């Protein structure tokens, strides 16, 4: 398994070893020992699975406040997404900066999003299924978000008129968001 750091500290692409032949493929998407050997020491306790039927479904930008912040390990089972990670650690030199990557059933890449980052994705094709592990349970009291279209962020989403939940349409701008990450 290969771990490739991105420009935001702690954010990594994880590329599993894929063994393929005429029948299909086999891969270990998660192996605690291998992850620990590569410096990833999270105790993942819950798996979440989403289906987005249409392309252009945008989910995010989501995070949970401390002490219920979550690290996420995201992968795509079917379809493809444009995944965005936003640094919301106030004292970070990359505060307010984001990175976007494509995760798909074909590239089998995974994205490790540590605590202190908001996360969102936009589906690129129909019937996209996303699976992600988290290291903290969902906490409605700590659940927060940042508006996907915050002009100060300049995120280049692949959909000009995305399909959004009511909740995701109401998030504040980053400058107005409640953030307790240093």
């Amino acid at each position: 398994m290969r771990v490739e750091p991105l420009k935001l500290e702690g954010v990594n692409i994880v590329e599993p070893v894929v063994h393929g032949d005429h029948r299909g493929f086999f891969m270990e998407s998660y192996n605690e020992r291998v992850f620990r050997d590569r410096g990833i020491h999270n105790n993942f306790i819950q798996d979440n699975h989403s289906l987005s039927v249409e392309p252009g479904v945008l989910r995010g930008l989501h995070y949970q406040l401390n002490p219920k912040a979550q690290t996420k390990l995201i992968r795509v089972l079917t379809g493809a997404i444009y995944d965005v990670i936003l640094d919301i650690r106030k004292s970070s030199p990359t505060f307010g900066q984001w990175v976007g990557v494509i995760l798909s059933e074909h590239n089998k890449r995974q994205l490790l999003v540590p605590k202190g980052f908001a996360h969102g994705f936009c589906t690129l094709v129909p019937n996209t299924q996303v699976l992600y592990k988290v290291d903290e349970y969902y906490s409605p009291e700590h659940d927060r978000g940042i508006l996907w279209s915050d002009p100060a962020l300049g995120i280049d989403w692949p959909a000009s008129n995305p399909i959004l939940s009511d909740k995701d349409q109401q998030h504040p701008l980053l400058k107005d968001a409640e953030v307790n990450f240093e």
Side-chain angles (χ1 to χ4, degrees):
M1 194 169 293
R2 193 175 81 119
V3 177
E4 174 189 335
L6 297 179
K7 78 173 188 177
L8 301 176
E9 182 185 351
V11 177
N12 293 292
I13 291 287
V14 178
E15 293 190 2
V17 175
V18 180
H19 305 277
D21 63 21
H22 67 280
R23 300 166 298 163
F25 73 89
F26 170 83
M27 69 179 210
E28 285 184 352
S29 60
Y30 179 75
N31 179 312
E32 181 182 24
R33 183 180 27 204
V34 172
F35 271 60
R36 289 196 189 282
D37 287 349
R38 307 245 180 341
I40 301 169
H41 301 281
N42 301 92
N43 179 30
F44 293 109
I45 59 172
Q46 179 178 312
D47 282 353
N48 300 322
H49 186 160
S50 73
L51 166 67
S52 299
V53 176
E54 297 180 57
V57 169
L58 196 150
R59 299 175 186 261
L61 298 158
H62 303 146
Y63 61 98
Q64 286 189 179
L65 294 171
N66 282 318
K68 298 295 183 180
Q70 297 175 319
T71 295
K72 299 176 182 177
L73 179 64
I74 301 132
R75 71 186 185 110
V76 173
L77 301 175
T78 59
I81 61 173
Y82 182 67
D83 204 309
V84 171
I85 312 95
L86 171 68
D87 189 345
I88 57 173
R89 302 168 298 165
K90 291 179 183 175
S91 60
S92 169
T94 56
F95 176 79
Q97 293 181 30
W98 60 274
V99 171
V101 297
I102 292 177
L103 304 179
S104 75
E105 67 183 288
H106 301 294
N107 69 22
K108 296 177 183 47
R109 298 172 102 193
Q110 300 179 75
L111 184 65
L112 183 71
V113 180
K115 295 168 175 61
F117 292 83
H119 169 256
F121 64 84
C122 183
T123 59
L124 301 174
V125 297
N127 297 312
T128 294
Q129 293 189 53
V130 176
L131 179 70
Y132 59 101
K133 295 181 168 310
V134 294
D135 66 352
E136 182 61 63
Y137 295 110
Y138 174 69
S139 173
E141 312 79 64
H142 297 86
D143 185 32
R144 299 292 187 277
I146 294 165
L147 188 65
W148 68 278
S149 60
D150 183 338
L153 302 176
I155 298 172
D156 188 19
W157 293 103
S160 56
N161 191 22
I163 302 163
L164 300 159
S165 70
D166 291 341
K167 176 178 137 180
D168 286 348
Q169 294 178 49
Q170 304 302 317
H171 292 309
L173 302 174
L174 175 59
K175 69 180 183 70
D176 301 321
E178 182 180 2
V179 174
N180 67 356
F181 302 98
E182 295 302 321

